[in-house]
mmCIF file of all heavy atoms in Angstrom:
data_model
loop_
_atom_site.group_PDB
_atom_site.id
_atom_site.type_symbol
_atom_site.label_atom_id
_atom_site.label_comp_id
_atom_site.label_asym_id
_atom_site.label_seq_id
_atom_site.Cartn_x
_atom_site.Cartn_y
_atom_site.Cartn_z
ATOM 1 N N GLN A 1553 99.684 133.661 125.146
ATOM 2 C CA GLN A 1553 101.079 133.375 124.724
ATOM 3 C C GLN A 1553 101.202 131.899 124.335
ATOM 4 O O GLN A 1553 101.993 131.129 124.876
ATOM 5 C CB GLN A 1553 102.069 133.757 125.843
ATOM 6 C CG GLN A 1553 102.261 135.264 125.977
ATOM 7 C CD GLN A 1553 101.019 135.984 126.511
ATOM 8 O OE1 GLN A 1553 100.238 135.398 127.247
ATOM 9 N NE2 GLN A 1553 100.823 137.236 126.119
ATOM 10 N N ALA A 1554 100.432 131.543 123.318
ATOM 11 C CA ALA A 1554 100.316 130.128 122.934
ATOM 12 C C ALA A 1554 101.552 129.608 122.209
ATOM 13 O O ALA A 1554 101.663 128.407 121.943
ATOM 14 C CB ALA A 1554 99.082 129.936 122.068
ATOM 15 N N GLY A 1555 102.489 130.504 121.906
ATOM 16 C CA GLY A 1555 103.722 130.077 121.238
ATOM 17 C C GLY A 1555 104.487 129.034 122.029
ATOM 18 O O GLY A 1555 105.210 128.214 121.454
ATOM 19 N N ILE A 1556 104.307 129.042 123.339
ATOM 20 C CA ILE A 1556 104.942 128.020 124.188
ATOM 21 C C ILE A 1556 104.498 126.629 123.711
ATOM 22 O O ILE A 1556 105.288 125.693 123.652
ATOM 23 C CB ILE A 1556 104.515 128.218 125.674
ATOM 24 C CG1 ILE A 1556 105.076 129.519 126.233
ATOM 25 C CG2 ILE A 1556 104.872 127.014 126.534
ATOM 26 C CD1 ILE A 1556 106.509 129.446 126.690
ATOM 27 N N LEU A 1557 103.211 126.524 123.379
ATOM 28 C CA LEU A 1557 102.674 125.236 122.919
ATOM 29 C C LEU A 1557 102.975 125.016 121.443
ATOM 30 O O LEU A 1557 103.293 123.907 121.006
ATOM 31 C CB LEU A 1557 101.155 125.195 123.159
ATOM 32 C CG LEU A 1557 100.717 125.379 124.606
ATOM 33 C CD1 LEU A 1557 99.207 125.542 124.690
ATOM 34 C CD2 LEU A 1557 101.176 124.200 125.449
ATOM 35 N N ALA A 1558 102.848 126.105 120.663
ATOM 36 C CA ALA A 1558 103.079 125.994 119.216
ATOM 37 C C ALA A 1558 104.514 125.552 118.922
ATOM 38 O O ALA A 1558 104.771 124.861 117.932
ATOM 39 C CB ALA A 1558 102.773 127.326 118.535
ATOM 40 N N ALA A 1559 105.451 125.960 119.792
ATOM 41 C CA ALA A 1559 106.859 125.596 119.581
ATOM 42 C C ALA A 1559 107.010 124.077 119.526
ATOM 43 O O ALA A 1559 107.744 123.537 118.696
ATOM 44 C CB ALA A 1559 107.711 126.176 120.704
ATOM 45 N N ALA A 1560 106.290 123.394 120.416
ATOM 46 C CA ALA A 1560 106.341 121.926 120.408
ATOM 47 C C ALA A 1560 105.672 121.390 119.140
ATOM 48 O O ALA A 1560 106.105 120.381 118.570
ATOM 49 C CB ALA A 1560 105.654 121.377 121.651
ATOM 50 N N GLY A 1561 104.629 122.079 118.698
ATOM 51 C CA GLY A 1561 103.927 121.682 117.467
ATOM 52 C C GLY A 1561 104.839 121.764 116.251
ATOM 53 O O GLY A 1561 104.786 120.911 115.355
ATOM 54 N N ILE A 1562 105.688 122.789 116.223
ATOM 55 C CA ILE A 1562 106.623 122.938 115.095
ATOM 56 C C ILE A 1562 107.617 121.769 115.092
ATOM 57 O O ILE A 1562 107.878 121.164 114.048
ATOM 58 C CB ILE A 1562 107.350 124.304 115.180
ATOM 59 C CG1 ILE A 1562 106.340 125.430 114.896
ATOM 60 C CG2 ILE A 1562 108.523 124.366 114.208
ATOM 61 C CD1 ILE A 1562 106.856 126.840 115.161
ATOM 62 N N VAL A 1563 108.100 121.419 116.273
ATOM 63 C CA VAL A 1563 109.016 120.258 116.354
ATOM 64 C C VAL A 1563 108.271 118.994 115.909
ATOM 65 O O VAL A 1563 108.825 118.141 115.204
ATOM 66 C CB VAL A 1563 109.579 120.087 117.790
ATOM 67 C CG1 VAL A 1563 110.442 118.840 117.889
ATOM 68 C CG2 VAL A 1563 110.375 121.329 118.204
ATOM 69 N N ALA A 1564 107.002 118.903 116.304
ATOM 70 C CA ALA A 1564 106.199 117.725 115.911
ATOM 71 C C ALA A 1564 106.187 117.588 114.388
ATOM 72 O O ALA A 1564 106.391 116.491 113.848
ATOM 73 C CB ALA A 1564 104.777 117.855 116.459
ATOM 74 N N LEU A 1565 105.961 118.702 113.700
ATOM 75 C CA LEU A 1565 105.901 118.639 112.231
ATOM 76 C C LEU A 1565 107.279 118.386 111.625
ATOM 77 O O LEU A 1565 107.415 117.620 110.669
ATOM 78 C CB LEU A 1565 105.317 119.936 111.657
ATOM 79 C CG LEU A 1565 103.836 120.187 111.973
ATOM 80 C CD1 LEU A 1565 103.359 121.456 111.292
ATOM 81 C CD2 LEU A 1565 102.961 119.011 111.567
#
Side-chain angles (χ1 to χ4, degrees):
Q1553 286 69 28
I1556 293 279
L1557 301 171
I1562 291 171
V1563 176
L1565 293 183

